[in-house]
Amino acid sequence: MKLISEVKKNAVYDYLYSAIRKGEIKAGDTLTERDLAERLGVSRTPIREAIRKLEEQGVVIHEPHKGAKVITLSAEKAAELYEVRELLEGLAVRKLAQIHTAEMMEELTGYIERAEKKALAKEIEKLSDINSAFHLALARLSGNIYLEVIMNMLQTQINLLMTTSLSYSGRPLENIEEHKKILEAIKLGDGDFAESVAKYHVRQAKIHAMKKIAEGGM
């Protein structure tokens, strides 16, 4: 019985998070337990638990007497998030340049190969998922557990911006080429150079996300 409950909770969370990423549930929208329970055909309990998880991840905020609302990522907040991401990913790639192995590079190359297929198929949400996995792998493979933990904490909000930045025509393949350059830099074993390449990539993603936000895309 508990397993069924967990499946329901995860399914509701996955639905809500996907709908927010796609823009089907928009920034500023209120998540009403009763309406969502009726729409999804479940009790309020998995709805409540899914909303709580989204709140813990910073995707929704609880407002007294109003309920849970999807966050609105202002240009200022998005810029701050990218600023932190640039520092963290720069550090991850610097460390990887010093400790990388053939197995690590094979894993990272696999993400890029899968991403290319999704980019060509124009499956942006699935591409964003692979993109997210690639960046989390950089943190995990760096060997710094604290770096991995912090990146995982931020990733849910970063994913919203990733989907936004990848929505521009031509950006998906451009993004993949930047990933390839990160791997090339890691292989060279030059920490300074690898860090600079990673930071450049994050800044490019920021430019596209900020454009979308300015156009009212978040």
Side-chain angles (χ1 to χ4, degrees):
M1 193 69 176
K2 185 176 180 181
L3 178 60
I4 294 174
S5 176
E6 284 298 311
V7 169
K8 280 188 177 181
K9 181 175 70 175
N10 291 334
V12 170
Y13 168 82
D14 290 343
Y15 167 79
L16 291 176
Y17 184 49
S18 177
I20 292 169
R21 286 177 70 181
K22 291 177 181 176
E24 294 169 358
I25 298 177
K26 301 184 182 303
D29 283 357
T30 299
L31 301 180
T32 307
E33 289 181 17
R34 182 181 62 187
D35 293 345
L36 287 170
E38 290 177 358
R39 188 194 314 177
L40 300 179
V42 298
S43 70
R44 292 195 187 187
T45 299
I47 299 290
R48 190 176 302 119
E49 291 177 347
I51 290 175
R52 186 181 298 120
K53 184 175 179 180
L54 289 168
E55 187 176 354
E56 289 172 354
Q57 295 171 329
V59 177
V60 304
I61 56 174
H62 183 81
E63 296 186 350
H65 312 298
K66 293 183 180 180
K69 294 183 68 174
V70 179
I71 61 165
T72 299
L73 274 174
S74 65
E76 181 181 5
K77 288 186 181 298
E80 290 174 351
L81 187 55
Y82 272 107
E83 182 178 27
V84 173
R85 181 186 162 199
E86 182 180 330
L87 292 171
L88 293 176
E89 294 207 2
L91 175 59
V93 173
R94 167 185 281 277
K95 291 183 70 65
L96 265 172
Q98 299 165 350
I99 67 168
H100 67 280
T101 64
E103 289 76 16
M104 290 177 181
M105 301 310 294
E106 183 178 357
E107 178 184 344
L108 293 169
T109 299
Y111 290 118
I112 291 176
E113 291 173 349
R114 292 195 292 277
E116 284 181 313
K117 292 178 182 178
K118 298 304 178 184
L120 292 172
K122 301 187 185 303
E123 297 179 21
I124 300 302
E125 188 178 7
K126 290 181 180 178
L127 171 61
S128 182
D129 288 338
I130 297 169
N131 196 28
S132 173
F134 173 82
H135 287 283
L136 285 176
L138 291 176
R140 170 171 49 80
L141 296 173
S142 75
N144 186 322
I145 185 62
Y146 298 105
L147 181 56
E148 181 183 0
V149 169
I150 295 169
M151 279 297 292
N152 272 288
M153 288 173 59
L154 296 176
Q155 196 62 40
T156 308
Q157 290 186 53
I158 290 172
N159 284 348
L160 301 179
L161 294 169
M162 278 186 179
T163 305
T164 300
S165 68
L166 290 171
S167 65
Y168 277 99
S169 176
R171 178 57 189 164
L173 291 177
E174 183 181 81
N175 179 75
I176 290 167
E177 289 304 310
E178 290 168 13
H179 284 183
K180 289 179 180 179
K181 289 177 180 177
I182 289 173
L183 295 197
E184 290 170 4
I186 290 172
K187 287 178 183 178
L188 290 174
D190 184 333
D192 289 340
F193 178 62
E195 181 177 359
S196 68
V197 173
K199 286 185 172 181
Y200 171 81
H201 168 61
V202 176
R203 287 196 295 271
Q204 289 302 108
K206 176 183 176 182
I207 287 170
H208 288 84
M210 299 298 279
K211 282 182 182 178
K212 201 69 175 180
I213 292 172
E215 294 168 2
M218 285 296 290

